[in-house]
Amino acid sequence: MDFRFTEDQQDLIEAAKTVFDGENTLERMRGIVAGNPPIGLWKQFADLGLFGILASEENDGLSQPLVVMAGIAEAAGYAGLPEPYVDVAGIVVPLLSQLKETELLEKVISGEISLGLITPLSPHVNCGEWCDHFIITSKSGGRCVARSEVTLEPRNSIDPLRWLYKADLQGEQNELADMHGAVLTAAQLIGLSMRMVEMSVEYAKDRHQFGKPIGSFQAVKHQLANVHTQIEFTRPIIHLAALKGGAAVHNAKIAAIDTAMLAAETAIQVHGGMGYTYEVDLHLFMKRAWALCGDWGDRHYHMKKLEDYVLNGGANLGPGETFKGET
């Protein structure tokens, strides 16, 4: 299976990353923590066509596969993007296409409105107060409701850059939403992991002990190298899940959770006691990783899905099946 992006796809991902990194600065994130609205970049994303990644060309979209959206989601995770851009572009837009809500779809792609999701595996709506409509998911798709039909109650989050709300309505699990949600959350976790490693590397260069940078000590170098290696092994697992779906999705979310937890633990160890403090920017990314580990299914949920797949006859096991049908 070919995991390589085309040149145009890679350019698209890099362009999105440039915007995320350039606009969502640490100063902006600190301002949002202090109370500034977290949706200031919405129109800019629309002007750049970032909401139409998975939409068809006839709906002014780019008709890209989910794996490209996963690459962009990783960039959003790396930047610590507060806006629920990934949920809207990666889940809401394909759901609107599935529901044939053409008018709403066009308004979302143009940045005119925002839609929130009411669905079991992600029970809290990020930035729900700023949503104009909501999709209440069902097994067969779902239905769209106006903001006036939904009562929202604020919820606290471990992540100070997520403004969560609990809706009074309930949805059902939806195959498309659950699959896209798990894959794109996993991709964001990889981006967050990479950011935490890079912050730790920079800190290890500046922090001195015994007259030397702590990054020169093997104990520090090996820990950071181990995390980087795990990130590189996890990324293709996520891309496979985006291309293949099925049980690969559960495997990807589990791998991403394990990688993010290792990255956070290692970053804290490298930073020492400072890693826990509000003054160090690490906590903005660490807390986002902790929050996303439970969104769209936690580790236990996805392990149970894999267990059912293996033990109830869904998997073809044995030495003759390992590479069967692979090209």
Side-chain angles (χ1 to χ4, degrees):
M1 185 174 289
D2 191 348
F3 287 173
R4 292 173 298 178
F5 293 116
T6 66
E7 184 176 348
D8 288 343
Q9 289 171 338
Q10 190 63 56
D11 288 344
L12 178 60
I13 294 169
E14 290 299 325
K17 179 173 173 56
T18 299
V19 173
F20 297 157
D21 292 345
E23 298 294 337
N24 189 51
T25 62
L26 290 169
E27 291 75 18
R28 178 178 186 258
M29 296 168 73
R30 289 282 184 174
I32 291 173
V33 172
N36 295 336
I39 55 171
L41 302 179
W42 210 250
K43 186 60 178 175
Q44 187 170 345
F45 294 159
D47 292 341
L48 293 170
L50 293 178
F51 288 117
I53 301 297
L54 300 183
S56 64
E57 293 181 4
E58 63 184 29
N59 290 317
D60 296 327
L62 299 179
S63 293
Q64 292 297 317
L66 180 60
V67 68
V68 173
M69 188 65 219
I72 294 175
E74 180 180 333
Y78 180 90
L81 199 66
E83 286 88 348
Y85 160 74
V86 174
D87 284 351
V88 173
I91 308 171
V92 168
V93 165
L95 274 177
L96 287 174
S97 298
Q98 186 183 70
L99 297 173
K100 301 189 185 305
E101 292 281 356
T102 306
E103 184 177 349
L104 286 177
L105 177 61
E106 291 175 353
K107 289 182 178 180
V108 170
I109 291 175
S110 67
E112 184 177 342
I113 63 173
S114 176
L115 264 74
L117 278 172
I118 299 175
T119 190
L121 285 188
S122 186
H124 299 102
V125 186
N126 187 21
C127 296
E129 182 180 345
W130 291 274
C131 292
D132 302 281
H133 295 77
F134 292 89
I135 297 178
I136 303 175
T137 59
S138 67
K139 292 180 181 179
S140 59
R143 61 188 178 93
C144 295
V145 298
R147 169 69 177 85
S148 58
E149 299 179 48
V150 180
T151 300
L152 297 174
E153 184 178 346
R155 288 286 193 270
N156 293 325
S157 173
I158 191 174
D159 179 3
L161 290 169
R162 297 177 86 210
W163 296 34
L164 301 184
Y165 294 84
K166 178 70 174 179
D168 61 334
L169 302 177
Q170 291 186 341
E172 299 175 335
Q173 286 192 237
N174 173 276
E175 184 177 354
L176 184 151
D178 293 352
M179 183 263 196
H180 282 219
V183 169
L184 297 178
T185 302
Q188 289 178 82
L189 287 171
I190 290 301
L192 288 160
S193 299
M194 183 61 74
R195 184 65 175 268
M196 287 187 284
V197 167
E198 291 186 6
M199 295 176 78
S200 300
V201 168
E202 291 304 313
Y203 181 83
K205 291 178 182 177
D206 294 335
R207 175 67 173 170
H208 284 66
Q209 288 289 343
F210 309 109
K212 296 181 179 180
I214 63 171
S216 65
F217 303 142
Q218 280 194 344
V220 175
K221 289 192 288 187
H222 288 179
Q223 285 193 75
L224 291 171
N226 287 341
V227 181
H228 182 80
T229 300
Q230 187 156 330
I231 290 171
E232 294 302 314
F233 273 95
T234 302
R235 185 179 291 111
I237 296 174
I238 296 169
H239 290 179
L240 176 65
L243 292 167
K244 190 175 180 180
V249 174
H250 307 302
N251 192 33
K253 185 64 190 294
I254 293 168
I257 290 172
D258 290 347
T259 299
M261 292 302 295
L262 178 63
E265 291 167 2
T266 302
I268 290 174
Q269 289 179 334
V270 172
H271 281 78
M274 290 295 293
Y276 283 103
T277 62
Y278 177 83
E279 287 73 16
V280 176
D281 294 324
L282 173 68
H283 83 281
L284 297 172
F285 302 92
M286 181 174 63
K287 291 175 179 176
R288 172 66 58 82
W290 289 344
L292 293 186
C293 281
D295 212 13
W296 293 102
D298 59 13
R299 196 178 194 281
H300 175 76
Y301 172 86
H302 289 284
M303 284 293 290
K304 185 64 171 66
K305 288 291 185 181
L306 282 180
E307 178 185 294
D308 292 342
Y309 174 71
V310 172
L311 299 182
N312 294 329
N316 295 320
L317 304 176
E321 298 291 336
T322 304
F323 299 105
K324 187 176 181 180
E326 297 293 333
T327 58

